[in-house]
């Protein structure tokens, strides 16, 4: 067993919470309660759970529009996240962000960024501040395989490497950049790992559906960053159970590929592993019941919540709380 | 009191703030060891050391992204974009991320940062190193926009920008770098959003910004020889915009001319004209006139560039058409 069992149960709990939460997001979207769009991370939970388990509470995470799981697992309240996606007043951003911008600064969840690549240099900047201020914080930045082809990825990797910043870049390679197989738009096999050497970084690949393996590597690279030994770039191979966003049924993926990955579901395989390692079924089912109850409770709160107060439309553009641009 | 160039005022302003507040840091291309390609940041590396004054790669997204991340995590960073035209290569970070994040997170994130950049034409650099882009930044909710016209204002407004809790884009005009002025010793700190009446007058209000302020002043001097009393207002910042000073002046003079270095369409003067039309139309004695660069990319050749950018002659002509 690679980890103490209490923290392994905690990672299982995190994955189950994330799984049930996003399944509910999907259902509520179909019901018309969650609006706009959603980019579900169903099937990718082990990456967020493994990294969060390796982080200190004051470490900082930066994620993408596919960032519901990461934000939830850093500790953001579930009802406030669901409420944000539903555009209710209890939303974590008061309804001003939406599903692609979940943020909970109090938990170190420093934002979900919806323009591909933007948050990599921002995470580097937060890491730079941590270094200068001597806080010992590490910034962890999650993104998809498609991000490795945009300029900000390369600018951020280069700056972080040259300045030896305490930041960990985590590529969740789910094999598709939106609707297109990543293999058709890159000249290398591994979109992140094969580019690491360009920045003097080690090539680091991990099974992104194996939460124990993710946590082990995450601990190593996060502590390396904390010791002042600079950034890392990790590529975690995983798979999206759903399409890119709500509008995408994901029909471009071969059925046998989808079936194989559904069989290699990170939640299922971890449940089986924990059971094989001697964790009682009662313990596991209790975790699952609690998670289901938490999701039901959050759903109830959101169903009963009013829309945002119209008076907040013009607040929070500026630090003075308002939006005035003239006297 | 000492004579200070606009160029040296930049370093003085940054130094004043770095001395006061250890959380103020400064990054950009060639800003540290080389002291800036326009020599606006000489001596800062020696004075404050390489942790706080740092050269970056040619990576404008990394520079502006690092400013944002650093501001999110307890610093008050200043970054330099060597030319304002380079805003175009990091506009996502500036316009989508920095400008919107406070609002989109329901006020969770504060971004006290300054993006300094060399702006404007008259230096024969051609169309990609000469633009006046204040109006781009003005069009994005969440950015404050400052453009000083004198060495004293560089110091005072830069200090105000650094101390401001919101992101500020600070446009320094390349054509003004060599201009000089006696500037008081000691700390200078202004407030953003205060326009200055730099020449009082009673027949027409001329609103100008940055390098167009001296052009407007030259025009006002010539107009007075023709018996026309022109009041010149240096706007100093576009966001926040001091409409009170502007409207007070226009209601008194009854006429408004804007002098803008930007190309015609959607320049800041259009916003000002619309405000005056909505709120002071009945006080006007003639049409509002905008003097701008034509709606063209700026040419490099000296004679062509001088024809394009508003001159004192064009301002005088515009005023005489309505007085």
């Amino acid at each position: 067993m690679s980890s103490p069992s209490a923290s392994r149960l905690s990672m299982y709990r995190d994955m189950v919470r994330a799984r049930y939460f996003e399944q509910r997001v999907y259902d509520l979207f179909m019901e018309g309660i969650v609006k706009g769009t959603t980019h579900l991370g169903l099937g990718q939970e082990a990456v967020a759970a493994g990294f969060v388990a390796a982080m200190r509470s004051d470490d900082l995470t930066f994620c993408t529009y596919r960032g519901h799981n990461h934000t939830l697992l850093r500790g953001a309240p579930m009802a406030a996240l669901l409420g944000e996606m539903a555009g209710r007043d209890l939303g974590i951003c008061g309804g001003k962000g939406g599903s692609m911008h979940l943020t909970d600064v109090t938990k170190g969840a420093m934002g979900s960024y919806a323009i591909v690549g933007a948050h990599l240099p921002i995470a580097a900047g937060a890491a730079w501040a941590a270094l200068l201020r001597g806080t010992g914080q590490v910034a962890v930045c999650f993104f998809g395989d498609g991000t490795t082809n945009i300029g900000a990825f390369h600018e951020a990797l280069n700056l972080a490497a040259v300045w030896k910043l305490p930041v960990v870049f985590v590529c969740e390679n789910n094999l598709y950049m939106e609707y297109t197989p990543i293999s058709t738009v890159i000249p290398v096999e591994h979109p992140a790992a094969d580019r690491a050497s360009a920045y003097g970084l080690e090539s680091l690949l991990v099974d992104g559906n194996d939460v124990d393996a993710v946590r082990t590597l995450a601990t190593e690279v996060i502590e390396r960053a904390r010791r002042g030994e600079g950034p890392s770039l990790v590529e975690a191979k995983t798979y999206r159970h759903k399409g890119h966003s709500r509008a995408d049924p994901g029909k471009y993926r071969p059925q046998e590929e989808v079936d194989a990955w559904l069989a290699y579901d990170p939640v299922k395989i971890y449940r089986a592993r924990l059971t094989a390692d001697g964790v009682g079924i009662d313990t596991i089912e209790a975790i699952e019941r609690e998670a289901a109850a938490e999701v039901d409770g959050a759903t109830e709160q959101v169903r009963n919540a009013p829309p945002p107060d119209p008076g907040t439309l013009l607040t929070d553009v500026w630090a003075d709380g308002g939006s005035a641009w003239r006297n | 009191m000492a004579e200070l160039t606009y160029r040296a005022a930049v370093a003085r302003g940054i130094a004043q703030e770095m001395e006061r507040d250890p959380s103020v840091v400064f990054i950009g291309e060639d800003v540290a060891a080389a002291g800036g390609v326009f020599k606006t940041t000489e001596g800062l590396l020696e004075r404050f050391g390489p942790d706080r004054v740092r050269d970056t790669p040619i990576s404008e997204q990394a520079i502006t992204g690092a400013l944002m991340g650093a501001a999110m995590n307890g610093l008050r960073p200043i970054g330099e974009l060597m030319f304002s035209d380079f805003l175009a290569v990091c506009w996502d970070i500036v316009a989508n991320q920095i400008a919107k994040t406070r609002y989109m997170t329901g006020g969770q994130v504060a971004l006290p940062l300054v993006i300094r950049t060399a702006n404007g034409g008259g230096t024969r650099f051609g169309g990609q190193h000469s633009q006046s882009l204040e109006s781009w930044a003005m069009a994005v909710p969440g950015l404050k926009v400052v453009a000083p016209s004198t060495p004293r204002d560089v110091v005072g407004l830069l200090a105000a920008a650094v101390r401001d809790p919101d992101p500020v884009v600070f446009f320094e005009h390349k054509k003004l770098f060599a201009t000089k002025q006696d500037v008081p010793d000691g700390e200078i700190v202004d407030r953003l959003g205060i326009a200055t009446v730099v020449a009082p007058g009673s027949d027409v209000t001329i609103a100008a910004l940055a390098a167009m302020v001296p052009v407007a002043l030259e025009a006002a001097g010539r107009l007075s020889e023709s018996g026309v009393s022109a009041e010149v207002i240096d706007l100093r910042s576009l966001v926040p915009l001091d409409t009170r000073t502007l409207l007070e002046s226009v209601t008194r003079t009854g006429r408004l001319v804007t002098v803008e270095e930007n190309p015609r369409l959607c320049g800041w003067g259009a916003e000002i004209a619309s405000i005056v039309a909505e709120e002071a139309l009945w006080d006007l004695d003639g049409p509002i006139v905008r003097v701008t660069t034509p709606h063209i990319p700026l040419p490099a050749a000296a004679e062509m560039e001088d024809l394009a950018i508003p001159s004192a002659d064009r301002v005088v002509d515009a005023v005489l058409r309505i007085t």
Side-chain angles (χ1 to χ4, degrees):
Chain A
M1 202 184 291
S2 59
S3 325
S5 62
S7 61
R8 294 182 83 207
L9 286 179
S10 165
M11 290 197 294
Y12 183 68
R13 179 179 298 112
D14 272 356
M15 287 201 291
V16 169
R17 289 176 69 229
R19 172 64 56 91
Y20 291 2
F21 173 61
E22 283 207 306
Q23 285 171 334
R24 182 59 53 84
V25 171
Y26 180 85
D27 292 343
L28 291 177
F29 195 100
M30 301 312 280
E31 210 187 302
I33 305 251
V34 169
K35 300 190 172 61
T37 186
T38 56
H39 303 77
L40 301 177
L42 288 169
Q44 305 185 191
E45 297 90 345
V47 183
F51 265 90
V52 167
M55 293 176 74
R56 234 165 61 177
S57 62
D58 65 337
D59 286 338
L60 306 172
T61 44
F62 295 81
C63 51
T64 70
Y65 48 84
R66 201 180 309 286
H68 309 161
N69 294 342
H70 315 75
T71 312
L72 177 72
L73 299 192
R74 282 315 303 285
M78 192 181 280
L81 298 181
L82 200 53
E84 186 63 30
M85 291 189 247
R88 302 289 92 184
D89 77 337
L90 53 64
I92 191 88
C93 304
K96 288 171 172 168
S99 95
M100 294 198 279
H101 299 285
L102 303 178
T103 302
D104 188 348
V105 168
T106 64
K107 305 293 183 188
M110 305 305 284
S112 307
Y113 296 79
I115 308 290
V116 168
H119 62 311
L120 279 78
I122 297 167
W128 174 48
L131 191 67
L132 283 188
R133 294 171 56 225
T135 62
Q137 294 162 296
V138 174
V140 180
C141 181
F142 301 93
F143 52 91
D145 41 280
T147 301
T148 63
N149 288 330
I150 204 160
F153 169 86
H154 298 278
E155 292 195 16
L157 261 292
N158 184 61
L159 189 80
V162 171
W163 287 8
K164 281 188 90 171
L165 299 176
V167 55
V168 177
F169 297 104
V170 185
C171 174
E172 299 183 15
N173 179 6
N174 63 22
L175 313 188
Y176 290 83
M177 54 144 284
E178 307 209 351
Y179 297 48
T180 301
I182 191 69
S183 59
T184 64
V185 292
I186 53 167
V188 290
E189 186 183 354
H190 305 295
D194 288 350
R195 272 115 170 219
S197 66
Y199 304 104
L201 301 176
E202 195 183 336
S203 175
L204 296 171
L205 277 165
V206 67
D207 178 348
N209 280 18
D210 180 342
V211 72
D212 284 329
V214 171
R215 201 262 290 265
T216 300
L217 181 60
T219 303
E220 190 183 320
V221 294
I222 288 171
E223 291 316 314
R224 186 190 297 171
R226 215 183 301 286
R227 287 195 304 270
E229 293 166 29
S232 296
L233 172 60
V234 170
E235 178 172 333
K237 196 168 176 183
T238 183
Y239 201 72
R240 239 175 31 205
H241 286 179
K242 300 281 185 186
H244 164 68
S245 65
R246 249 306 300 144
D248 170 25
K251 293 288 188 206
Y252 42 83
R253 306 188 298 187
Q255 194 54 47
E256 53 276 23
E257 177 187 288
V258 175
D259 291 344
W261 280 99
L262 286 176
Y264 195 60
D265 177 329
V267 181
K268 265 193 227 164
I269 58 175
Y270 204 52
R271 190 182 203 269
R273 188 184 300 167
L274 289 176
T275 311
D277 286 348
V279 176
I281 192 72
D282 291 354
T283 306
I284 285 179
E285 286 178 353
I287 286 172
E288 292 163 352
R289 271 196 311 276
E290 280 167 29
E294 185 187 7
V295 171
D296 285 343
T299 306
E300 253 341 273
Q301 282 191 62
V302 170
R303 283 189 194 282
N304 295 325
D309 177 350
T312 64
L313 179 70
L314 302 180
T315 64
D316 289 329
V317 172
W318 308 121
D320 67 7
S323 58
W325 52 270
R326 58 172 286 193
N327 57 11
Chain B
M1 188 79 81
E3 191 175 64
L4 195 67
T5 61
Y6 189 100
R7 180 191 316 282
V10 173
R12 175 168 157 186
I14 296 173
Q16 173 185 299
E17 294 309 295
M18 291 188 77
E19 196 66 61
R20 179 187 61 83
D21 180 351
S23 71
V24 178
V25 293
F26 173 47
I27 61 172
E29 296 158 13
D30 293 329
V31 300
V37 296
F38 297 109
K39 301 296 171 203
T40 48
T41 57
E42 279 187 325
L44 294 174
L45 171 66
E46 293 73 14
R47 190 160 162 196
F48 297 102
D51 279 349
R52 296 180 67 195
V53 178
R54 220 175 239 220
D55 284 320
T56 66
I58 299 178
S59 300
E60 282 80 12
Q61 292 182 83
I63 294 168
T64 48
L67 296 179
M68 174 166 169
M72 290 173 99
N73 197 20
L75 296 182
R76 298 183 89 90
I78 306 170
E80 175 176 306
L81 296 179
M82 192 182 289
F83 288 82
S84 63
D85 314 72
F86 304 170
L87 279 166
V89 300
C90 56
W91 200 234
D92 169 50
I93 305 284
V94 177
N96 287 330
Q97 311 302 337
I98 288 173
K100 294 179 174 56
T101 292
R102 176 183 284 278
Y103 186 82
M104 291 178 67
T105 61
Q108 293 184 60
V109 174
L111 294 175
L113 62 87
V114 179
I115 299 170
R116 296 178 36 245
T117 189
N119 190 56
T123 47
R124 324 314 185 199
F125 286 168
Q128 296 174 351
H129 290 75
S130 301
Q131 296 175 84
S132 288
L133 297 179
E134 301 94 330
S135 300
W136 285 15
M138 186 189 192
V140 181
L143 297 176
K144 293 184 177 174
V145 183
V146 179
S149 72
T150 66
R152 191 220 156 274
D153 278 3
V154 167
V155 179
L157 291 173
L158 190 50
V162 171
R163 296 179 196 199
D164 199 277
D166 294 308
V168 178
V169 187
F170 192 86
F171 290 94
E172 295 157 14
H173 203 290
K174 296 189 284 290
K175 191 77 187 296
L176 297 175
F177 280 139
T179 58
K180 293 176 186 169
Q181 182 187 29
D182 281 336
V183 177
D185 300 328
E187 185 177 271
I188 304 176
V189 190
D190 283 328
R191 273 175 53 212
L192 302 185
I194 310 284
T196 311
V197 177
V198 289
S202 54
D203 296 331
V204 60
T205 299
I206 305 177
L209 190 70
M212 293 299 101
V213 173
V215 169
L217 284 170
E218 187 187 335
R222 282 200 227 156
L223 285 163
S224 75
E225 291 163 20
S226 318
V228 176
S229 169
E231 177 149 299
V232 178
I233 293 181
D234 179 356
L235 294 170
R236 300 164 89 229
S237 71
L238 296 178
V239 180
L241 184 65
D242 184 0
T243 53
R244 195 174 298 152
T245 297
L246 188 78
L247 288 164
E248 185 282 322
S249 175
V250 172
T251 52
R252 200 160 24 75
T253 63
R255 294 178 183 84
L256 174 65
V257 172
T258 66
V259 190
E260 303 161 60
E261 191 175 319
N262 44 260
R264 174 88 188 181
L265 299 189
C266 303
W268 55 259
E271 186 58 48
I272 281 178
S274 111
I275 291 167
V276 170
E278 281 188 33
E279 299 174 32
L281 184 71
W282 310 115
D283 295 306
L284 291 178
D285 299 319
I288 299 167
V289 178
R290 294 178 59 211
V291 180
T292 73
T293 291
H295 208 61
I296 55 171
L298 266 186
E303 292 77 2
M304 291 178 79
E305 189 180 31
D306 289 345
L307 271 178
I309 294 174
S311 61
D313 284 345
R314 282 174 55 199
V315 177
V316 168
D317 288 348
V319 170
L320 292 179
R321 278 211 310 276
I322 57 169
T323 48

